[in-house]
Amino acid sequence: MTKMKLPATIPAPQLISEAIEHIYKVVKPASRTLSRIHFHCFGYHIIAQRSIIPTPTNLRKWDSTKEAAASGSVMASERACNSTQLGLGDVEQQLTSIVVNGKHTKLSPENPIAVWTTGGEKPTEQIDFVLVPVLACAVPVQTVGLGDAISAAALAYQI
């Protein structure tokens, strides 16, 4: 893992990606049950999982990861704004581009999801990442419990 300074506001996705990779390296797939990591901050959500689940193991390959990450992001916006009818004036996208592994990706309403794979040379060491930006409420009404709502909405979409 390289040493990078965390910005005052939103942690760099590259840094979080490296931290998640480190966790997966420490937790060997055959000896533990870690199959999915969901990280969320003010600027974005990341869901990560192993590209290939080795057998025999009790680990699960999670489906619909893009949809789950998007669901968590939408849920956060709706809860913060206390509305399910949000327009472009109600929310602001906090992250418009990312750089991960030297690749620059722009995020827009037309293309809001970034996907990449990192890890070792063996397919069982590779990790799939999905990143979705947060649409922050311009005038938040509620912030208590947003983290729980984000995680629950994303997990519920994948169960």
Side-chain angles (χ1 to χ4, degrees), residues 33-148:
T33 57
L34 178 65
S35 62
R36 174 184 181 274
I37 295 176
H38 182 185
F39 172 86
H40 54 87
C41 64
F42 182 69
Y44 57 89
H45 304 254
I46 290 179
I47 296 179
Q49 65 179 343
R50 292 190 188 280
S51 298
I52 295 176
I53 303 297
T55 55
T57 181
N58 62 348
L59 297 181
R60 173 183 177 170
K61 179 74 174 171
W62 297 84
D63 296 324
S64 307
T65 305
K66 291 180 194 176
E67 294 85 352
S71 176
S73 183
V74 168
M75 172 62 74
S77 301
E78 290 176 347
R79 291 277 306 253
C81 293
N82 196 28
S83 173
T84 58
Q85 304 295 317
L86 299 176
L88 292 177
D90 299 321
V91 293
E92 179 183 332
Q93 185 172 324
Q94 295 301 301
L95 190 66
T96 57
S97 67
I98 64 167
V99 177
V100 176
N101 297 332
K103 182 182 175 200
H104 185 263
T105 303
K106 289 189 177 209
L107 303 169
S108 66
E110 297 79 28
N111 187 29
I113 299 174
V115 178
W116 69 95
T117 300
T118 65
E121 294 186 19
K122 296 179 187 176
T124 54
E125 295 173 350
Q126 294 176 345
I127 303 162
D128 295 329
F129 290 85
V130 173
L131 178 144
V132 177
V134 168
L135 300 175
C137 186
V139 182
V141 177
Q142 176 182 352
T143 58
V144 173
L146 281 183
D148 292 339

